[in-house]
Amino acid sequence: MGNASCVFVGCVDQASVGIVEKWGRFEKLAQPGLNFFNPCAGQYLAGLLSTRIQSLEVKIETKTKDNVFVQIISSIQYRVIKQSADDAFYELQNPAEQIQAYVFDVVRAQVPRMTLDQLFEQKDEVAKTVLDELEKVMGEYGYTIEHILMVDIIPDPSVRRAMNEINAAQRFQLASVYKGEADKILQVKKAEAEAEAKYLGGVGVARQRQAITDGLRENILNFSHTVEGASAKEVMDLIMITQYFDTIKDLGSSSNNTTVFIPHGPGHIRDIGDQIRNGLMEAKAGTSG
């Protein structure tokens, strides 16, 4: 008569680990794949644990050093350590609650030491502190903490509005400074352009007067050499009278006829000639100087 045996077959999924018990006590870990159990010897598959990375979102409400209530949203990524899967299976009934409790404890001890601005600037340091504490505690229970992210820091709505108003006021002040500087530069450039235009206009008038003086001098010399016995004064008077009548002619033939009262007579013509002659002499004296 041969011996009878009873063997059961169990399959453990990939990214999982099985807990094998014998007569109610832990015996070994069942790796992914096909596993054989002997119920007659008291062996059976007590349970399965996933070794995938799991994510837990924790929302913590706390207060900063400057008495601002904030809500911190963090994401904790953790997984079972394969070699310590029995600890994870037997030691903790609800690992998510345990992780959340430790996160609450560490964050509420760390954040009240910081102002709101420091919290935004040093949120990575807060995450590192939580990570170090969780790794030390959860490692004893067969879990490892892969990463912690401080997803968001949400101040009280009234505080957010105040921060936005302060930011807007600072930006408006900065924009006013830039606008004032731009207006100043524009006015300086405009003044420089006007000064340059006046300078060039003065140079042009001076050159024009110099050209007129040179032309009159040349005409006087040519006429004096051509007509014997004619003095420079007589030639000048003749040129002035000619220019005077040409001017009257131009005024009369202009399409935009306007009533113009001009003193007319031999005495007035002589006065005009004297004035022009004196002007030419002054221009010549200024050029010589």
Side-chain angles (χ1 to χ4, degrees), residues 159-181:
V159 176
R160 279 187 289 173
R161 286 195 298 269
M163 291 175 66
N164 289 335
E165 290 175 359
I166 292 173
N167 190 14
Q170 291 175 343
R171 292 181 180 275
F172 181 76
Q173 182 180 7
L174 186 61
S176 299
V177 172
Y178 284 142
K179 185 176 184 299
E181 291 294 330

Side-chain angles (χ1 to χ4, degrees), residues 160-288:
R160 279 187 289 173
R161 286 195 298 269
M163 291 175 66
N164 289 335
E165 290 175 359
I166 292 173
N167 190 14
Q170 291 175 343
R171 292 181 180 275
F172 181 76
Q173 182 180 7
L174 186 61
S176 299
V177 172
Y178 284 142
K179 185 176 184 299
E181 291 294 330
D183 292 341
K184 177 182 176 181
I185 293 173
L186 183 62
Q187 291 178 1
V188 170
K189 293 299 182 182
K190 183 178 179 181
E192 291 177 353
E194 291 178 354
E196 184 69 16
K198 290 180 180 179
Y199 171 76
L200 294 176
V203 171
V205 171
R207 290 178 178 176
Q208 180 185 17
R209 290 175 178 174
Q210 183 63 39
I212 293 174
T213 302
D214 294 341
L216 290 175
R217 184 187 301 111
E218 185 178 353
N219 289 335
I220 291 173
L221 293 175
N222 292 336
F223 197 89
S224 298
H225 293 157
T226 305
V227 181
E228 296 181 359
S231 65
K233 181 179 181 303
E234 293 172 345
V235 174
M236 188 66 183
D237 290 339
L238 178 61
I239 293 175
M240 293 300 104
I241 293 172
T242 303
Q243 292 293 332
Y244 176 76
F245 283 112
D246 288 341
T247 302
I248 294 176
K249 179 181 178 182
D250 291 337
L251 289 174
S253 61
S254 175
S255 58
N256 299 323
N257 290 324
T258 304
T259 302
V260 179
F261 294 95
I262 300 177
H264 185 67
H268 293 297
I269 296 175
R270 186 180 304 107
D271 292 338
I272 294 173
D274 293 339
Q275 292 175 9
I276 295 176
R277 188 182 304 106
N278 292 334
L280 292 174
M281 294 176 66
E282 291 176 2
K284 181 178 181 181
T287 303
S288 302

